[in-house]
Amino acid sequence: MNIIAQTKELQPRAASRRGHILVHRVSVEFGEGAKARPAILDTSLEIRPREFVCLLGPSGCGKSTLLNCVAGYVRPSSGTVKVDGIIVDRPGPERGMVFQQYSLFPWKNVRENIAFGPLRAGRRRAQAMAIADHFLEMVGLSGFATRHPAELSGGMQQRVGIARALANYPSVLLMDEPFGALDSQTRAMMQENLLRIWSEFSTTVLFVTHDVDEAIFLADRILVMSASPGRIIADQDVPLARPRNPDISTDHRFIEIKKSCLATIRAESLRAFEQQNR
Ligand code: ADP
Ligand code: MG
């Protein structure tokens, strides 16, 4: 594992395709004056078009804050975020977000939830509905178009959430612990499902999780974050073949990567613990 030099200038690689993310020396502080606390500290990262990157770290370390900076919901106190060379200063449909909490409109049916983005982008109604049906099929929920969110299981609602984000044809898909509230079997199925969708709809994915196994199963690359205030302390490649299935978790390379991630996390937890108790 190589440690990223936080202060090093990141040279943007050629962004020939859409979905290039560049986070440059971003810090985020919450609170004012003497109460100001850093949530993210001088963090830089770069993600190539179509790469699947997991942001892994303990709860409260700033994963959501960093993701929200890329989404445009949180403004960095210093530093810049660029997607395809354009500075992010607000949310946009080219950056699709899937939240941990199901965030569908409860009063709209499934098809209308997914068609919302295309309609807002000015598509005609028939076209927006066709787009919705296309993505409903992609997430395997064609039979549920006229149901309302409350009639669906948590896993199904998250699939609708993914379809809703994809219906805007985003260059970047941002996912904040999207399967965190699901039981482990549904979660495993959703992970496989997501990889299949990603292989069809190739887009850059930045996926937040605190689960090491989930990160290794999904990612091309894992960025490990420190305890609060968050910094990236390791950049781990996951050179496992695709398509992947759950058996991969017994592969010796999977286990090696897991050991390496866990060692980084353990060392960081110790450091944070010692710092708190000094
Ligand atoms: P994670 O997603 O890794 O659990 P977060 O990014 O949600 O972590 O939070 C990082 C830190 O920033 C935490 O200490 C949290 O309490 C704080 N924080 C997050 N959002 C806000 C906010 N809107 N106002 C004040 N503090 C916040
Ligand atoms: Mg979070």
Side-chain angles (χ1 to χ4, degrees), residues 30 39 58-65:
F30 289 116
S59 134
C61 75
K63 303 181 295 297
S64 296
T65 303

Side-chain angles (χ1 to χ4, degrees), residues 80-270:
T80 51
V81 177
K82 286 183 185 173
V83 171
D84 292 328
I86 296 167
I87 289 186
V88 170
D89 58 2
R90 70 194 75 172
E94 76 287 358
R95 282 161 285 125
M97 184 86 162
V98 181
F99 300 90
Q100 174 171 15
Q101 292 307 322
Y102 321 129
S103 54
L104 304 173
F105 302 120
W107 62 90
K108 287 182 187 286
N109 74 23
V110 163
R111 182 187 279 129
E112 289 162 346
N113 260 285
I114 302 171
F116 179 80
L119 282 172
R120 204 169 53 171
R123 305 252 195 193
R124 291 220 301 270
R125 191 162 174 83
Q127 198 185 18
M129 295 302 156
I131 291 171
D133 286 345
H134 170 73
F135 286 103
L136 262 180
E137 194 182 332
M138 192 181 266
V139 299
L141 289 176
S142 287
F144 296 85
T146 57
R147 302 285 185 89
H148 280 76
E151 300 175 84
L152 305 182
S153 69
M156 287 159 114
Q157 290 190 44
Q158 273 317 52
R159 277 146 77 188
V160 177
I162 294 168
R164 187 176 63 168
L166 294 180
N168 294 313
Y169 294 90
S171 50
V172 168
L173 189 58
L174 305 169
M175 307 185 82
D176 194 356
E177 310 211 33
F179 310 146
L182 305 176
D183 64 80
S184 62
Q185 275 169 334
T186 307
R187 172 181 247 216
M189 198 195 68
M190 293 291 291
Q191 291 166 355
E192 272 195 271
N193 223 296
L194 174 62
L195 287 186
R196 190 183 48 70
I197 292 166
W198 175 66
S199 72
E200 283 176 41
F201 187 99
S202 46
T203 177
T204 307
V205 180
L206 182 53
F207 185 108
V208 163
T209 182
H210 62 259
D211 181 332
V212 182
D213 291 85
E214 178 166 73
I216 303 170
F217 182 67
L218 294 173
D220 293 322
R221 192 152 64 92
I222 299 172
L223 302 174
V224 185
M225 282 183 78
S226 69
S228 183
R231 291 163 302 116
I232 289 167
I233 51 169
D235 183 340
Q236 167 78 56
D237 273 323
V238 183
L240 301 170
R242 297 183 189 271
R244 296 176 186 169
N245 69 55
D247 289 344
I248 208 167
S249 63
T250 55
D251 187 300
H252 71 93
R253 287 165 306 167
F254 187 106
I255 294 166
E256 283 310 311
I257 294 167
K258 186 168 172 176
K259 277 186 189 162
S260 171
C261 287
L262 289 174
T264 305
I265 292 166
R266 199 174 306 121
E268 171 57 22
S269 311
L270 262 175

